[in-house]
Amino acid sequence: MKGIFDYFRSQKPSSAQVAKERLQVIVARERSSRSGPDYLPALHRELLEVIRKYVQVDDEAVQMNLENQGNCEILEVNITLGDRQ
Amino acid sequence: MARIVVITSGKGGVGKTTTSAAVATGLALEGHKTAVVDFDVGLRNLDLIMGCERRVVYDFVNVINGDASLRQAMIKDKRTEGLYILPASQTRDKEALTQEGVEQVLQELSKDFDYIICDSPAGIERGALMASYFADEAIVVTNPEVSSVRDSDRMLGILASKTRRAEQGEDPIPAHLLITRYAPDRVDKGEMLSVEDVQEILSIQMLGVIPESQAVLNASNAGMPVVLDQESDAGQAYRDAVARFLGEERPHRFLTAQKKGIFGRLFKG
């Protein structure tokens, strides 16, 4: 019987566990955007404007990620054009 | 030269003013001459928590504007020797707190005091930025709850970049974590983030954990800093936190739920 209870228990993480995982994700994301250079939001906005001259995309279409590797910085830009209709 | 300590959090209602009153009183009880300054312009409340609301004549902004001297505006605490309060202004003009004005007041206070405790308002607006700008050290007050932890992390980012020391390229100011309203029984049930969870996410040094306690509301009702209630768990926890702040090593208490046996339930209600 105990095994069955454990099984159901393991299916559902406690609310504190859920809170911790959500926090870890959001805090990591906000820290990385904080450490980035100031021009990133403006660059993001302008890239969107350029793309929108040709294709209609939503705000999520442009994802940017800045990484430090040794003494060089790599800016990765992913542009998703969405479903083909 | 005084040491300037900001009590901050980002989120409102987590216990900044309660902590400012408790820490300032605790430092004074340890023999350090301490001033506690309310930076919450427009929403002054430190005076109520310290129980000196009827003795406010002049305030922080009056001093900045030269309408009163610091000596006239400072309120001497009646309970604790060596403790003074500088109340916030009730003006709605948020611009009243100028950087030059704040610097001048803190410099003048520095001559006479060992510690200056800056009670920051919530948010990340001018009042909060001014409260932390000149600080040498920070105490970040956090509830074990998602929005409070996130805002504390945000505030840690601001402390690392928007203080005078950071702007001058010096080492960032040390930040201590103070967890308030901690309920160990709820942590045991998996309903509340544990001390370890919060510390792991924020990864800063832990100054203390204040348990959720009826004593805090009782103390604010009475206008008496809770640290003076030495019968209470919260009062003792604040006393411990102050001792740790001063460099003493003390084990953390009140981290585990009080196990109430059947007899405990019967006889203690």
Side-chain angles (χ1 to χ4, degrees), chain A residues 7-85:
Chain A
Y7 175 76
F8 284 117
R9 192 172 269 182
S10 68
Q11 292 300 87
K12 203 165 173 266
S14 72
S15 72
Q17 243 171 308
V18 174
K20 186 183 180 186
E21 279 157 27
R22 290 175 60 218
L23 269 171
Q24 281 171 325
V25 172
I26 190 69
V27 163
R29 200 167 79 188
E30 286 175 349
R31 277 185 195 158
S32 68
S33 69
R34 205 156 67 204
S35 58
D38 293 343
Y39 62 75
L40 278 185
L43 178 60
H44 183 261
R45 196 179 57 242
E46 285 179 39
L47 276 175
L48 267 176
E49 281 167 16
V50 172
I51 294 163
R52 279 181 183 151
K53 282 187 185 171
Y54 306 96
V55 197
Q56 263 319 306
V57 291
D58 57 28
D59 287 358
E60 299 290 298
V62 176
Q63 297 285 348
M64 300 203 301
N65 191 24
L66 192 75
E67 265 183 53
N68 279 309
Q69 284 188 359
N71 51 5
C72 77
E73 271 184 319
I74 297 175
L75 178 64
E76 187 182 298
V77 181
N78 272 310
I79 303 168
T80 319
L81 295 181
D83 298 334
R84 247 175 271 154
Q85 299 208 324

Side-chain angles (χ1 to χ4, degrees), chain B residues 41-58:
Chain B
V41 170
L43 293 169
R44 138 171 112 211
N45 272 321
L46 180 68
D47 55 338
L48 264 183
I49 300 300
M50 296 290 301
C52 64
E53 69 278 8
R54 291 171 62 183
R55 295 163 60 207
V56 175
V57 182
Y58 295 109

